[in-house]
Amino acid sequence: MTISYNWLKDYISCDLTPEQVCAALTSIGLEVDSLEKTEEIPGGLKGVIVAEVLECVEHPDSDHLHVTKLNTGSGEPLQVVCGAPNVAAGQKVLLATVGTVLGEDFKIKVSKIRGVESNGMICAEDELGIGTDHAGIMVLSPDAVPGTAAKDYLHLAEDYIIEIGLTANRVDAASHIGVARDLYAYLKLRDIPCSLNIPSVDAFKEGAGKAMPIEVLAPADAPRYSGITLKDVKVGPSPDFIAKRLQAIGHKPINNIVDITNFVLFEIGQPLHAFDASKVKGGKVIVRRAVKDEPFTTLDGVARKLYDTDLVIANAEAPMCLAGVFGGLESGTTEASTEIFLESAYFNPVTIRKTSKLHTLKTDASFRYERGADPLVTEWAGKRAAILMQEYAGAKVVGSFEKAYAPDAPSKKTIELDYDRIEAFIGKKIGHDVIEKILTYLQYEFISRTATGAVVAAPSYMIDVYRECDVVEEILRIYGYNNIELPSAVHTSLNATPSEKPEPEYVRNIISDFLASNGFNETMNNSLTKGDYYTDCKAFPAEKCVKILNPLSSDLNVMRQSLIFSGLEVIAYNLNHQVPFIKTFEYGSVYAIKPDSDINDHSSYEEHTCFSLFLCGPSEKSWRLPAEDGKSNYYILKGYVELLLRRLGSDIQLLQTQPAPEDIFAEGLSYLLPGSGDVVVTLGTIAPKLAKRFGIKQPVVAAEISWPVLYKLLKRTTVKYKELPKFPEVRRDLALLVDESVTYSELRIAAIKAGKKVVKSVGLFDVYRGDKIPGDKKQYALSFVLQDAEKTLTDAEVDSIMNKILSSLQAQYKVTLR
C-alpha cells in the first residue's frame, strides 16, 4: 500500500517526521517496506533563482538574441545571453545559474554565444518542467524578490512516499484515513499531541427531482448498494490538490469525475464507480447475477463471456459493469457526460474474488472488496464524492440518496470483554483504564460497562474482529508488543500422551541431514502444478487430480500427485543455467482423489508426503577420480537409497520388487512393503519422452519415497543387539544359467530361505549375455557368505548347504549350474 506523507497529514495533525511515522506504523503492525523522498519536480529546481533584468540590449552579432544584465540578489550583476522574444528590462525572471542541471542531464555552463559570454540561462516554463509553454521566458510577479530560490517562490512541494506491506487481514489500512486512525491511537496512548481530522459530509443535501432508481436482485452478493444521481456535471481537468495527491502515489490524473472517485478510494478505502446516467437504458440500475456466457466488453476493450457466478451492474438491456472489479466500455463517463449515477456499495468478498480470479482482473477496487471493505462507510464515501463533484465539477444532486440494504446486511459486531482475561492473554497487567483508552482511540463503541469488563461494538472497518481474542490483538498492536516483558521463567507441563515411536519429525530430519551431507541440495516447489502433466499418464491419471476451481493460470490448475514433475522443472531450470551436475531432493505433499469417490466431498481427497531424489549430469572431475559420464547415475542413486534405508535400520533387500511405471521411467524398480504391497520407493531413469517435455536432453535418474509407507516399514523394524560372531565366514560362488524372466531378487530370497540361518548374504557380481548363451537365457554369477554362530563350518557342511541351495533354485526356477 502506497501512502503519501503529506496526504496522511491532512487527516492527522502531529509533529512526527516521516521517519518517526514509519517507526510508529511498523510497531503497530503496519510494517513499512520503504520510505522515499519525492519532489514535485525532480531535483527541486536546485540552482534556479529569481532574478531581475536590469538591462536588455540586442546582441551585436544576431538579430534575435539579447544580452542582459541580471540582479541575482547578491554580488555583481550577471551577463546572460537570451533568445526569448519577450525578454525586457524590469522583468522578474527565473535564472538557471551555472552548474544547474535541468531535465535529466542538461547542465548549465559558462559559454560564449556568438562571441558574448553568457553566465546562465533565463528559463521558459517547459525548460523547468512546470508547464508546456515555450513561446517565451517565464515572467514573474513584480513583487518577486531577486535571489529567492525557485523552489520557494513556486511553492514546490516535497513529499515522502511510504510503502506499507499490508497483510491480507489489514484492508482497513488500505487508505490514508485508515492509516491515520491507527497512528492516532498509537500517539494518543503515549500522550503525544495529535488530532484526527476526518472530513465532514454534513454539507451534503439531497436535491429536487427524481433520482435514478435501483433494484438489487442478488442481495446476498450486494447486501448494501447505494447511489447518488448528479446533473449539470462539467467533466474537465481535476483541481491541483487532487491531481497532485494522486500523482504522489503513482496514479495519473484522468478527469475531475474519475479522479474524485479515485481520490475517495485512497482517502477512505471505499471503491466508487461513476456511470454516465444517459447510458443507463431503461432508466434503472439493476444489480444481478450474469447469465452464463453473456457477452460484455470491459473498459480495457476486451470482449469477455461472463460466468453465472459474476455479479454485474446492469441496465434494462445489458451489463454495464463487473461489480466491484471493472467498468464497462460503454457505460463510463466521458468529456461529453453531463449526468452521472455515482455508485457506492458493499459487495460480498467471495463473489468479487471469484470474478477477479475467473477473469484475471486485479484492480484497486477488487483488492479492497475481496478482502472485505468497510460495509458501513458507503454512505459517507458517496456523500464525500458528491460534495467534491459539486465543488469541482459544478454538479447538482438530483433527488434522494438511493439505498437498497438487505435485511441481513453486515453491521457492527458486538463483543463481550473480560478485562482480567484480556490481561491474562496479553501476559501483563496493563490496567483496565489503558484497555478502555485504546478501544476508545480505535473507535470502539461501549454499549455497557461493568467493574471487570464491557460489551463493545467493534468499528465496522475492522472486518476480522469477531471475538475477544481478536480484540486482544488490536489492544496489543497499539500498546506495543515490545512493551510486554519476557518472563523470567516459562511454565509448562509434560505431555501425558507419549509421542509416536520412532518420532516422525526426528526421522524426517535424519533423512534430510543424510541427503544434505551427501551433496544433495534441498528444493521447495509449489504444490500447484500444470494439469497437462497428467494427461495420458497411467501412473498418475488425470482423473485423480485435485483441480483448482479458480486457478491463477493454466500452469497452476491442479494439485500435484507426484514430486517427479516439479523436480524435472528444477532440473530443466538448472541445466538451462549451465549447471552441469545436479543432485537435489525435496520433501513435500502430494494430493489425489480417492478411487470411486465424490469430488465435491472434501473427505474424498487424500494427501500424504513424499521425498524425491534427482541425479543428472556427469560428476565433476577431480585429481582422484575421472569424471563420470552420467550413465552410472542409476546405480549411484540406488546406492544412496540403500544407504538411507540402512541408516534408518531397514534393508532394501528385504523388500519385494516390481517394474517401475513405464510412462515415467524408461527402466527402474518399485520396492514394495511385504504383505501389504504398498510402494515404499520407486526409482529409475526418467523416460526420454517425458524428459523431452521439459526440454531435457540428457539422462535423469529419480527416486520417489512415500513417507507414510516408509514410516510403516520403520515401525516394523526392531533393533536387536548381539555379540560379534566368533567363528569365520565362508564364501562360495555359483555361476547359474537362468531364464531372462527370472530376477536376481527372486534367486536371493529363495537362497536365503533354503540356507536358513547360515546364509548371511547373497550378492550378484556378474551378469553375462552373449556367446554360447541361448537368446532366452542369461548367466548370473552369485556370491554366498555362510556363517554359523555356534561353530566353524566344515567343508562337508558347506557343500551340503550349497547343494541344498542349488536344489531349491533348480526346483523353483529351473537354473542350470555352469
Side-chain angles (χ1 to χ4, degrees):
M1 177 62 198
T2 304
I3 296 294
S4 159
Y5 173 75
N6 289 347
W7 195 349
L8 182 66
K9 292 292 290 289
D10 289 345
Y11 310 112
I12 182 166
S13 301
C14 65
D15 295 329
L16 267 63
T17 65
E19 291 77 13
Q20 290 171 326
V21 167
C22 290
L25 293 179
T26 298
S27 72
I28 56 179
L30 300 177
E31 186 174 356
V32 174
D33 292 335
S34 65
L35 174 67
E36 181 182 355
K37 182 179 179 180
T38 63
E39 294 171 314
E40 190 174 336
I41 296 176
L45 297 183
K46 184 178 180 181
V48 181
I49 61 172
V50 175
E52 179 183 11
V53 181
L54 301 175
E55 179 182 318
C56 178
V57 298
E58 293 185 358
H59 192 289
D61 194 24
S62 172
D63 58 358
H64 68 279
L65 297 177
H66 299 82
V67 180
T68 64
K69 297 282 188 180
L70 301 179
N71 170 23
T72 60
S74 62
E76 294 295 321
L78 292 180
Q79 178 174 282
V80 176
V81 176
C82 178
N86 64 328
V87 64
Q91 293 176 336
K92 301 290 179 64
V93 296
L94 289 176
L95 171 70
T97 57
V98 174
T100 299
V101 177
L102 298 178
E104 293 184 1
D105 55 6
F106 181 56
K107 187 173 183 178
I108 305 300
K109 302 176 182 178
V110 176
S111 60
K112 283 194 174 183
I113 302 177
R114 295 201 178 183
V116 177
E117 185 177 282
S118 181
N119 297 279
M121 184 176 81
I122 304 175
C123 301
E125 283 185 5
D126 65 332
E127 292 166 333
L128 296 174
I130 58 176
T132 58
D133 186 9
H134 193 68
I137 60 171
M138 186 176 177
V139 179
L140 310 181
S141 169
D143 58 0
V145 178
T148 303
K151 174 183 175 181
D152 297 331
Y153 176 80
L154 297 172
H155 304 293
L156 296 181
E158 65 179 24
D159 199 357
Y160 291 84
I161 300 304
I162 304 168
E163 287 291 342
I164 298 175
L166 281 186
T167 53
N169 66 321
R170 292 306 312 275
V171 70
D172 61 291
S175 67
H176 286 77
I177 288 179
V179 173
R181 279 188 303 237
D182 267 16
L183 186 59
Y184 171 77
Y186 172 87
L187 298 178
K188 286 291 288 183
L189 185 66
R190 289 154 180 78
D191 294 325
I192 299 174
C194 65
S195 62
L196 189 63
N197 311 314
I198 307 298
S200 171
V201 294
D202 293 341
F204 176 83
K205 304 295 180 186
E206 295 182 340
K210 184 179 180 182
M212 180 82 68
I214 58 180
E215 182 180 6
V216 178
L217 301 179
D221 299 318
R224 293 179 67 89
Y225 191 86
S226 60
I228 300 172
T229 306
L230 300 149
K231 67 176 183 178
D232 297 338
V233 176
K234 297 179 180 63
V235 179
S238 292
D240 280 350
F241 88 94
I242 288 180
K244 288 180 179 180
R245 289 289 185 250
L246 293 176
Q247 286 172 333
I249 60 172
H251 279 258
K252 182 180 179 181
I254 299 173
N255 60 51
N256 51 358
I257 301 302
V258 174
D259 292 346
I260 285 171
T261 62
N262 285 333
F263 178 84
V264 175
L265 167 67
F266 295 110
E267 179 181 54
I268 194 64
Q270 172 61 36
L272 304 171
H273 192 75
F275 297 91
D276 188 326
S278 66
K279 298 176 183 178
V280 181
K281 298 175 182 178
K284 180 192 285 188
V285 173
I286 303 169
V287 184
R288 62 172 173 84
R289 284 285 184 100
V291 178
K292 184 174 173 56
D293 294 330
E294 187 173 10
F296 178 63
T297 303
T298 43
L299 196 58
D300 55 2
V302 177
R304 305 175 188 272
K305 287 188 176 181
L306 302 183
Y307 299 85
D308 55 9
T309 56
D310 294 333
L311 184 69
V312 296
I313 313 302
N315 54 39
E317 298 181 7
M320 300 186 295
C321 172
L322 271 174
V325 180
F326 213 28
L329 186 63
E330 303 297 331
S331 61
T333 58
T334 65
E335 292 182 359
S337 299
T338 58
E339 295 180 80
I340 285 174
F341 176 78
L342 179 64
E343 169 195 277
S344 182
Y346 171 80
F347 297 117
N348 188 320
V350 175
T351 303
I352 302 306
R353 182 168 176 79
K354 282 183 179 179
T355 296
S356 176
K357 296 299 181 186
L358 286 171
H359 296 283
T360 61
L361 288 170
K362 299 293 290 183
T363 62
D364 289 316
S366 69
F367 175 86
R368 288 158 178 80
Y369 276 132
E370 66 188 33
R371 285 162 174 78
D374 182 349
L376 302 187
V377 82
T378 53
E379 288 188 33
W380 185 95
K383 291 176 180 179
R384 171 71 166 155
I387 291 170
L388 291 172
M389 290 179 184
Q390 288 176 306
E391 185 173 355
Y392 298 108
K396 295 179 181 177
V397 177
V398 178
S400 61
F401 192 159
E402 292 291 297
K403 305 166 192 142
Y405 297 160
D408 58 348
S411 58
K412 290 185 177 181
K413 296 174 282 290
T414 302
I415 305 167
E416 186 174 347
L417 305 179
D418 183 305
Y419 294 159
D420 292 334
R421 189 164 54 234
I422 288 175
E423 289 181 327
F425 271 128
I426 292 173
K428 178 181 179 180
K429 290 190 176 296
I430 64 175
H432 296 183
D433 59 328
V434 173
I435 293 173
E436 291 195 352
K437 280 183 180 180
I438 293 174
L439 296 178
T440 301
Y441 299 149
L442 287 174
Q443 301 178 7
Y444 279 77
E445 178 185 343
F446 284 84
I447 298 172
S448 64
R449 285 184 169 91
T450 66
T452 59
V455 176
V456 299
S460 57
Y461 66 80
M462 289 188 174
I463 51 95
D464 66 330
V465 174
Y466 293 91
R467 303 165 297 169
E468 184 181 64
C469 58
D470 300 324
V471 179
V472 173
E473 181 183 350
E474 299 304 313
I475 293 171
L476 261 174
R477 284 195 310 107
I478 303 304
Y479 184 77
Y481 288 99
N482 292 336
N483 293 327
I484 308 298
E485 296 81 6
L486 290 175
S488 57
V490 177
H491 302 282
T492 186
S493 60
L494 294 174
N495 188 354
T497 305
S499 60
E500 200 173 4
K501 297 294 182 181
E503 188 178 347
E505 190 63 29
Y506 175 70
V507 176
R508 285 195 290 265
N509 286 336
I510 288 177
I511 296 173
S512 297
D513 290 344
F514 172 85
L515 295 172
S517 63
N518 279 280
F520 285 82
N521 295 300
E522 185 171 6
T523 63
M524 295 179 67
N525 291 289
N526 199 335
S527 293
L528 299 177
T529 188
K530 188 185 296 186
D532 289 347
Y533 290 155
Y534 301 94
T535 303
D536 300 325
C537 181
K538 296 178 182 178
F540 306 105
E543 55 269 21
K544 290 189 67 177
C545 285
V546 178
K547 297 180 181 178
I548 306 302
L549 294 179
N550 299 310
L552 294 173
S553 72
S554 58
D555 289 342
L556 300 169
N557 59 354
V558 299
M559 305 291 283
R560 62 186 178 186
Q561 288 191 57
S562 168
L563 302 183
I564 295 294
F565 300 115
S566 53
L568 289 174
E569 288 177 344
V570 172
I571 296 294
Y573 180 86
N574 281 276
L575 289 175
N576 291 336
H577 286 75
Q578 309 302 314
V579 179
F581 183 57
I582 305 165
K583 293 173 71 175
T584 66
F585 79 96
E586 180 180 6
Y587 174 73
S589 295
V590 296
Y591 312 81
I593 298 174
K594 295 177 182 177
D596 303 321
S597 56
D598 181 4
I599 62 172
N600 295 315
D601 180 7
H602 288 185
S603 64
S604 67
Y605 302 148
E606 60 180 1
E607 173 186 353
H608 67 270
T609 50
C610 293
F611 279 94
S612 66
L613 288 71
F614 286 86
L615 277 179
C616 180
S619 61
E620 296 182 3
K621 294 180 180 179
S622 74
W623 63 272
R624 293 187 303 110
L625 299 170
E628 296 286 347
D629 59 5
K631 293 180 180 179
S632 61
N633 279 347
Y634 170 78
Y635 300 101
I636 295 173
L637 185 63
K638 184 172 180 288
Y640 282 126
V641 173
E642 291 182 358
L643 285 173
L644 176 59
L645 289 177
R646 288 178 188 170
R647 172 66 181 85
L648 298 174
S650 187
D651 188 350
I652 201 170
Q653 304 295 340
L654 301 177
L655 303 177
Q656 299 171 348
T657 61
Q658 69 180 27
E662 294 180 355
D663 52 347
I664 303 294
F665 298 98
E667 57 179 350
L669 291 173
S670 292
Y671 291 87
L672 314 179
L673 196 64
S676 67
D678 295 332
V679 177
V680 180
V681 56
T682 300
L683 64 90
T685 303
I686 296 295
K689 183 179 179 181
L690 177 59
K692 187 177 180 182
R693 291 182 62 182
F694 293 85
I696 301 172
K697 299 179 181 179
Q698 58 195 75
V700 179
V701 294
E704 187 168 70
I705 303 170
S706 173
W707 165 251
V709 184
L710 175 64
Y711 188 68
K712 195 184 299 183
L713 172 66
L714 299 183
K715 291 180 76 172
R716 292 184 181 182
T717 303
T718 303
V719 178
K720 295 181 179 180
Y721 301 90
K722 60 181 180 180
E723 63 177 332
L724 292 172
K726 299 178 180 178
F727 303 99
E729 296 177 345
V730 177
R731 179 186 173 102
R732 289 288 188 270
D733 297 335
L734 292 178
L736 304 174
L737 191 65
V738 301
D739 291 338
E740 276 288 356
S741 60
V742 177
T743 65
Y744 157 69
S745 178
E746 292 171 327
L747 298 178
R748 177 183 175 277
I749 293 171
I752 291 175
K753 285 182 178 179
K756 296 185 178 179
K757 295 182 180 181
V758 179
V759 177
K760 296 303 179 184
S761 67
V762 180
L764 174 67
F765 64 88
D766 187 43
V767 179
Y768 177 71
R769 296 178 180 88
D771 188 31
K772 298 181 181 179
I773 301 294
D776 60 344
K777 302 285 186 177
K778 59 187 173 184
Q779 177 182 292
Y780 274 170
L782 302 179
S783 64
F784 301 84
V785 175
L786 312 179
Q787 186 180 47
D788 193 315
E790 298 177 354
K791 62 181 180 179
T792 300
L793 292 172
T794 64
D795 288 343
E797 289 172 328
V798 171
D799 291 341
S800 175
I801 294 168
M802 293 304 299
N803 289 333
K804 188 175 180 181
I805 292 172
L806 181 58
S807 297
S808 176
L809 297 179
Q810 288 172 335
Q812 293 185 59
Y813 301 106
K814 297 181 173 54
V815 304
T816 303
L817 182 64
R818 296 272 294 173

